Structures are given as C-alpha cells and as structure tokens.
Amino acid sequence: MTASPYLPRPDRAAAALCTLLGSPEDLRQPGVREAAERARDLLRSGADAGELADCYAALDTALRRSGDARGLAGGSRSVTAPGVAPHIKVAVCPGSPLCARVERARDLLPAPHCAVHGTRMRKSRLGSAQ
C-alpha cells in the first residue's frame, strides 16, 4: 500500500499528528509510533517544510500499512483535534435587508423561523465577519 497522494496543509497535518499522538490504540501498530515521534521531533525542532512533508508522507504510509485506511489526516482524525473544525453551520437572516441575527444550525433540524420575513432562516457557514 502506498501513501495517499493527498496530504493536508501543514497546520492540518500537525493537528492530525497531535490527535494521533493522543491515541494510544493507533500508536500500537507496527512502525506508527516511530514515524509519529519522528514527525513530532521534526515539528518541534522547526524543520523545513519539505522535510516535514516527507515525514508526514512516511507516517501516512505507516498508518495505511497498519490497516488504517484514513492515513494521517483522512476521515475524522483531523477534525477531532481540540479547536479544529472545518466550518460552523449557522442560520442567518433570509431577507433583504439582512439583520444581524445568527443562530446555530443543526444538521438534521430545519433552520429556525424568521419572524420578520415570515420564512425559515438560511443555513450558511460562519464567516470571519460574523
């Protein structure tokens, strides 16, 4: 089995590494602990991006060879690190002019009702301006 052709941005790979290092079950697989510790040591020492990318690729390969199809940052590993989320879903005003109301939007529930415009709010991703 070979490494994934896709490796995440360095900050996401570091978050996935952090999560992996906190998972004793994943580190028990042959070759994974050594590759993870090497990546951690390179990251701590301030290694250059190319060397880190090679190390992340080796760690990805070790994970896949041990039977973890997610590799380093596939599946849910990269999003379970504290404070890391791909996006936050919110419900925003559906009308024009827009008001500043923002509510958390749950995936399986409909957006809340907007009493001003008489329709459901629109689901969106939380942006930096909100």
Side-chain angles (χ1 to χ4, degrees), residues 37-111:
E37 288 175 350
R38 181 171 183 274
R40 179 198 60 207
D41 294 343
L42 284 174
L43 194 58
R44 285 181 179 171
S45 70
D48 70 339
E51 192 174 5
L52 273 173
D54 291 343
C55 193
Y56 288 147
L59 177 55
D60 186 79
T61 300
L63 284 163
R64 291 174 189 276
R65 284 187 178 153
S66 72
D68 189 342
R70 297 175 296 178
L72 176 60
S76 63
R77 178 173 291 124
S78 64
V79 296
T80 59
V84 176
H87 63 271
I88 299 171
K89 289 186 180 176
V90 294
V92 296
C93 181
S96 179
L98 298 176
C99 71
R101 181 179 174 197
V102 176
E103 302 258 342
R104 183 173 179 190
R106 309 245 186 231
D107 283 336
L108 301 177
L109 297 175

